[in-house]
Amino acid sequence: MFEDVTKPASRGFMRALSARTMIGLVLVALSVVGVLAVLHFGHQSIRVYRATAPLTAGEAVDASMLEAVEVQLGQVSGSYLREGELPSEGAVATRTIGAGELVPREALGAPDTDRATVIVSVEGSLPAAAVAGATVELWASPKATTGKKDVSPRVLVEDATVIRVTQDESMIAGLGKQEVELRVPRGTVAAVLEAQGQDARLSLVPLYTGVN
């Protein structure tokens, strides 16, 4: 009688096959779980802030200028400011943010205590480049008075940022005044207020212009 030597080999083969099958099933299950996780988190909604009106570089930003909206941003969700994350002391826009644009974290900075906001009246038309976000010089031309020697124009602020421009509705053909909100170094505020108090003629000179 011959001993059947194929049975142990057959059992070993079946055990190896079962082990490979189990490993394969585990890998398939892990793959399915991974895909489901990606789909879940990729379609998860979060609430982030968007600007309700244009925000200019240098402009102070508080909660009244933002609104929370529910969006699905997937992997880039961490790049935007979430609801409730605006610092209680507010922030400052480091670049222009359009109305309706979601607010990127990198577009906001800490409040700048070295600068202040002033509103000046400028007679006549503004240069085309003197728009919100532009960097300008603020010049003052003192009123000519009898006996005053030096009435030459002088620079009040060398690097002001235009926040917004409000045009007088009565302004026709370059006549009238425009109100311009500027962000200026705090140390220049007194000179600006003094020039306005003396009815000096104020002018804006853009420092940077676009290239055609």
Side-chain angles (χ1 to χ4, degrees):
M1 177 179 291
F2 296 97
E3 183 178 357
D4 188 356
V5 296
T6 62
K7 289 184 178 180
S10 177
R11 286 195 294 271
F13 174 77
M14 292 301 296
R15 284 197 297 271
L17 181 61
S18 298
R20 286 196 296 270
T21 301
M22 289 300 297
I23 292 173
L25 291 174
V26 169
L27 291 175
V28 170
L30 290 175
S31 180
V32 170
V33 170
V35 170
L36 291 176
V38 170
L39 291 175
H40 171 71
F41 289 108
H43 290 81
Q44 191 173 26
S45 296
I46 60 172
R47 291 181 65 80
V48 299
Y49 285 120
R50 72 179 176 191
T52 56
L55 302 175
T56 306
E59 184 172 4
V61 179
D62 59 38
S64 67
M65 303 172 176
L66 309 173
E67 65 179 356
V69 293
E70 192 166 304
V71 293
Q72 295 178 354
L73 296 174
Q75 296 181 347
V76 299
S77 60
S79 301
Y80 293 89
L81 190 69
R82 297 197 182 196
E83 183 180 22
E85 291 185 341
L86 183 69
S88 58
E89 66 274 16
V92 171
T94 58
R95 68 163 177 81
T96 298
I97 304 171
E101 179 183 349
L102 300 182
V103 180
R105 294 179 184 275
E106 53 86 20
L108 294 180
D112 186 358
T113 57
D114 294 330
R115 298 179 77 86
T117 300
V118 296
I119 298 177
V120 299
S121 295
V122 179
E123 293 185 8
S125 300
L126 294 176
V131 295
T135 301
V136 299
E137 289 179 339
L138 177 63
W139 285 71
S141 300
K143 291 181 65 175
T145 57
T146 303
K148 190 170 183 178
K149 295 181 179 179
D150 186 10
V151 292
S152 300
R154 62 190 179 96
V155 179
L156 294 177
V157 184
E158 295 181 347
D159 61 341
T161 302
V162 178
I163 302 301
R164 61 177 54 86
V165 177
T166 304
Q167 182 171 312
D168 190 337
E169 293 181 357
S170 63
M171 186 170 178
I172 301 175
L175 302 176
K177 292 186 177 182
Q178 299 185 74
E179 301 293 322
V180 183
E181 185 176 344
L182 300 173
R183 190 82 172 164
V184 302
R186 191 170 294 277
T188 65
V189 172
V192 173
L193 296 179
E194 181 182 4
Q196 292 190 100
Q198 295 175 350
D199 291 329
R201 182 184 178 92
L202 302 180
S203 303
L204 300 183
V205 179
L207 294 180
Y208 312 110
T209 58
V211 178
N212 294 328

